[in-house]
């Protein structure tokens, strides 16, 4: 395709390092769509004849059929998907195929294909994440009143409801969805027509090709059109952030399903066994999510490091962008699907969670709050009094504050009554947290209803 300048063929190793067809063949649909839009525009503007334009469209349709049927003759010697399709087109329709590249370069061609691919992948990621959110909302609805320990520093802090805990991830994933939509919006400009870097002298209609491919507008600067990969960097960073949220939930699944916690059990479909220990149920999918998220984040960082030192406009370094991006999206979609599968079939042990919620004097803050509300005690003084009660309970070997004798309470603060002690159960604690965004079952129910409406779902 570019041999007129050279008298010798590339070295075999040069072929190996230069070829990208093993990776960018994933963009064949996007390449054909871009070529069809470009050919239609060239025909409409009179740059190509009607006959050549029709031959190109028919030839591209035939190539699409070949690729779908698995009969397309991909060639490493032709380097990439762009030259593979163009060569096959010329082989099929003759000289008209060689006219397709008029007014464009592989630089704007690959930039266009890549934007189209990333746009589609972002849409897939958004759809998959929406599915996971629905799974979590269903579980939150089922367990809106299930009591579990809430942790800070992985130490028992206060009782919460499982529904509230799960909805925290729904909130995180919603922000992830917003980022995915924003990334798609930011990339939705067409580089096609930027040519190599300077534009083209042909009277092309870039508005027409942008519209044909679903872009909002053509990119305003031809150098920017071929040189920029910030759209891919943004997309991968969106995946990395969302992946961190997935990894945190995966870590909790690992903890919750361990015998030491005993909060939940994964279904057989989402558990693995041991080759030597027959009793084991391993949360391998959750563990692999943690690892794959590291790969996603690494790919995001690697892409930035590839681009950071490149002068304008195009450099072959950018060929590496697609392998990193394809792998990151593949891993992300796999992680989201696995998490949806696990969380959709996980079985929670409500008694075990409730029992654990009573450990560590988890209702101590409720006593401090009572002292403030009923005795008009400054919170710092109430904190001190409650700490003294906890200390007395520990010394007496009493595990829950509600089991401490009233005489012990009153020895520390004489004005404490049985009314205060009655509020120190985990049920009373979670029920009292009725502030907006709180863990009370009534608030969880409200949030579930809000998410059902937002995600167009029905949990009944």
């Amino acid at each position: 395709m570019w041999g007129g300048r050279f008298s010798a063929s590339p070295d075999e190793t040069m072929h190996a390092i230069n070829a990208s067809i093993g990776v960018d063949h994933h963009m064949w649909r996007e390449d054909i769509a871009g070529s069809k839009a470009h050919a239609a525009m060239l025909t409409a503007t009179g740059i190509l004849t009607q006959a050549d334009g029709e031959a190109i469209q028919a030839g591209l349709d035939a190539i699409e059929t070949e690729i779908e049927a698995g009969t397309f003759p991909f060639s490493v010697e032709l380097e990439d998907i762009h030259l593979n399709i163009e060569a096959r087109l010329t082989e099929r329709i003759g000289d008209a195929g060689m006219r397709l590249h008029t007014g464009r370069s592989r630089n704007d061609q690959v930039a266009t294909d890549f934007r189209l691919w990333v746009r589609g992948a972002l849409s897939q990621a958004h759809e998959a994440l929406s599915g996971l959110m629905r799974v979590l909302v269903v579980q939150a609805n089922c367990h809106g009143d299930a009591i579990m320990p809430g942790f800070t520093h992985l130490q028992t802090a206060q009782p919460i409801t499982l529904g509230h805990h799960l909805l925290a991830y729904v909130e995180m994933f919603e922000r992830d969805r917003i980022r995915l939509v924003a990334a798609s919006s930011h990339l939705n400009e067409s580089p096609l027509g930027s040519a190599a870097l300077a534009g083209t002298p042909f009277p092309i209609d870039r508005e027409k090709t942008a519209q044909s491919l679903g872009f909002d507008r053509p990119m305003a600067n031809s150098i920017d059109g071929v040189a920029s990969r910030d759209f891919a960097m943004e997309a991968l960073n969106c995946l990395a952030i969302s992946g961190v949220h997935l990894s945190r939930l995966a870590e909790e699944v690992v903890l919750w399903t361990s015998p030491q916690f005993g909060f939940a059990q994964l279904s057989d479909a989402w558990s693995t066994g041991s080759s030597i220990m027959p009793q084991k149920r391993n949360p391998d999918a959750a563990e692999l999510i943690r690892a794959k998220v590291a790969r996603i984040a690494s790919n995001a960082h690697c892409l930035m490091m590839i681009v950071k030192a490149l002068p304008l406009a195009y450099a072959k370094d950018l060929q590496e962008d697609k392998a990193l991006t394809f792998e990151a999206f593949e891993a992300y979609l796999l992680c989201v699907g696995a998490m949806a599968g696990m969380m959709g079939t996980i079985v929670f042990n409500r008694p075990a969670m409730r029992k654990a919620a009573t450990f560590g004097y988890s209702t101590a803050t409720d006593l401090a709050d009572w002292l403030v509300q009923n005795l008009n005690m400054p919170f710092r003084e109430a904190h001190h009094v409650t700490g003294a009660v906890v200390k007395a309970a520990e010394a007496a070997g009493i595990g829950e504050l509600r089991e401490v004798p009233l005489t012990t309470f009153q020895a520390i603060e004489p004005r404490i009554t049985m009314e205060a002690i009655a509020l120190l159960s985990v049920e009373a604690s979670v029920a009292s947290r009725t502030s907006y965004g709180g863990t009370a079952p009534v608030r969880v129910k409200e949030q579930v209803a809000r998410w059902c409406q937002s995600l167009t779902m029905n949990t009944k």
Side-chain angles (χ1 to χ4, degrees):
M1 288 290 177
W2 43 263
R5 170 67 176 81
F6 298 86
S7 58
S9 298
D11 183 87
E12 185 177 338
T13 303
M14 179 62 194
H15 263 312
I17 195 172
N18 196 46
S20 61
I21 187 62
V23 172
D24 61 26
H25 70 274
H26 291 290
M27 298 193 303
W28 68 266
R29 290 182 179 84
E30 290 76 17
D31 195 73
I32 289 176
S35 290
K36 283 186 171 184
H38 184 65
M41 178 274 296
L42 292 177
T43 305
T45 55
I47 298 171
L48 290 183
T49 66
Q50 188 70 31
D52 281 349
E54 290 176 358
I56 289 171
Q57 296 292 343
L60 290 171
D61 285 340
I63 289 172
E64 184 174 9
T65 300
E66 282 186 332
I67 296 176
E68 287 178 339
T71 60
F72 185 87
F74 289 106
S75 169
V76 174
E77 283 70 27
L78 290 172
E79 297 182 9
D80 56 32
I81 189 61
H82 324 294
L83 293 187
N84 266 267
I85 288 178
E86 184 178 338
R88 182 61 173 156
L89 181 66
T90 301
E91 184 180 294
R92 275 185 159 274
I93 68 172
D95 287 352
M98 291 190 284
R99 294 191 175 98
L100 172 60
H101 211 51
T102 305
R104 75 175 183 184
S105 160
R106 270 196 299 177
N107 292 357
D108 63 335
Q109 187 179 1
V110 67
T112 302
D113 292 357
F114 196 23
R115 280 178 183 261
L116 289 171
W117 190 95
V118 172
R119 188 178 70 187
L122 285 168
S123 178
Q124 284 184 286
H126 186 279
E127 183 178 353
L129 196 55
S130 299
L132 172 58
M133 291 168 68
R134 292 185 181 97
V135 168
L136 293 175
V137 171
V138 168
Q139 289 285 23
N141 182 59
C142 292
H143 300 289
D145 61 348
I147 296 173
M148 68 176 292
F151 298 99
T152 59
H153 308 277
L154 202 55
Q155 305 293 313
T156 302
Q158 293 177 313
I160 61 171
T161 52
L162 174 58
H164 190 57
H165 191 107
L166 295 175
L167 288 179
Y169 283 103
V170 176
E171 296 286 343
M172 295 179 211
F173 292 140
E174 173 64 3
R175 293 192 294 275
D176 295 337
R177 288 203 313 169
I178 291 170
R179 277 185 281 268
L180 293 172
V181 171
S184 185
S185 174
H186 297 158
L187 69 74
N188 209 36
E189 296 181 326
S190 174
L192 192 57
S194 298
L197 77 161
T200 175
F202 293 96
I204 62 173
D205 185 347
R206 295 191 61 210
E207 293 282 354
K208 180 177 177 60
T209 52
Q211 184 179 19
S212 296
L213 294 170
F215 289 113
D216 295 330
R217 64 192 69 84
M219 296 185 74
N221 186 288
S222 59
I223 298 175
D224 182 40
V226 300
S228 295
R229 292 297 185 272
D230 52 354
F231 66 93
M233 289 187 281
E234 182 178 9
L236 263 59
N237 276 283
C238 289
L239 299 190
I241 294 170
S242 186
V244 167
H245 296 152
L246 287 168
S247 185
R248 295 184 75 176
L249 180 52
E251 170 65 11
E252 297 204 295
V253 169
V254 171
L255 291 174
W256 292 347
T257 57
S258 69
Q260 289 73 21
F261 274 74
F263 289 1
Q265 180 173 298
L266 292 172
S267 67
D268 287 355
W270 291 100
S271 301
T272 59
S274 165
S275 64
I276 189 173
M277 295 169 285
Q279 83 281 9
K280 295 292 294 298
R281 295 178 65 92
N282 296 327
D284 282 5
E287 293 167 359
L288 286 166
I289 287 172
R290 292 186 307 199
K292 286 183 180 297
V293 166
R295 294 280 295 272
I296 293 169
S298 296
N299 283 19
H301 181 72
C302 185
L303 179 56
M304 287 192 289
M305 293 303 98
I306 287 172
V307 178
K308 73 172 183 62
L310 296 184
L312 298 179
Y314 182 82
K316 195 71 169 186
D317 310 49
L318 294 176
Q319 182 167 288
E320 295 298 306
D321 57 5
K322 285 165 284 298
L324 295 168
T325 303
F326 296 166
E327 181 187 41
F329 272 99
E330 181 181 7
Y332 178 80
L333 291 171
L334 191 59
C335 288
V336 174
M339 184 59 74
M342 283 188 291
M343 296 308 297
T345 57
I346 195 169
V347 176
F348 290 99
N349 186 336
R350 292 167 66 115
M353 288 191 296
R354 187 208 173 279
K355 182 178 180 180
T358 66
F359 298 160
Y361 307 104
S362 64
T363 58
T365 306
D366 296 274
L367 175 59
D369 290 341
W370 185 89
L371 294 171
V372 171
Q373 292 174 328
N374 291 273
L375 303 185
N376 198 29
M377 189 179 289
F379 183 80
R380 286 303 169 200
E381 182 181 347
H383 187 286
H384 181 81
V385 169
T386 302
V389 172
V390 170
K391 185 178 181 180
E394 285 181 325
I398 300 172
E400 291 187 59
L401 290 184
R402 65 175 183 157
E403 296 175 352
V404 174
L406 177 61
T407 53
T408 302
F409 281 99
Q410 293 181 337
I412 297 167
E413 169 49 65
R415 293 174 293 174
I416 294 177
T417 66
M418 287 301 297
E419 177 190 354
I421 298 175
L423 297 176
L424 300 184
S425 70
V426 290
E427 287 78 11
S429 179
V430 297
S432 71
R433 307 290 164 176
T434 56
S435 58
Y436 180 77
T439 193
V442 63
R443 292 290 171 256
V444 174
K445 186 176 182 179
E446 291 171 353
Q447 292 298 321
V448 165
R450 177 175 71 88
W451 281 115
C452 285
Q453 183 177 12
S454 176
L455 294 168
T456 60
M457 57 183 293
N458 189 345
T459 59
K460 294 181 181 179

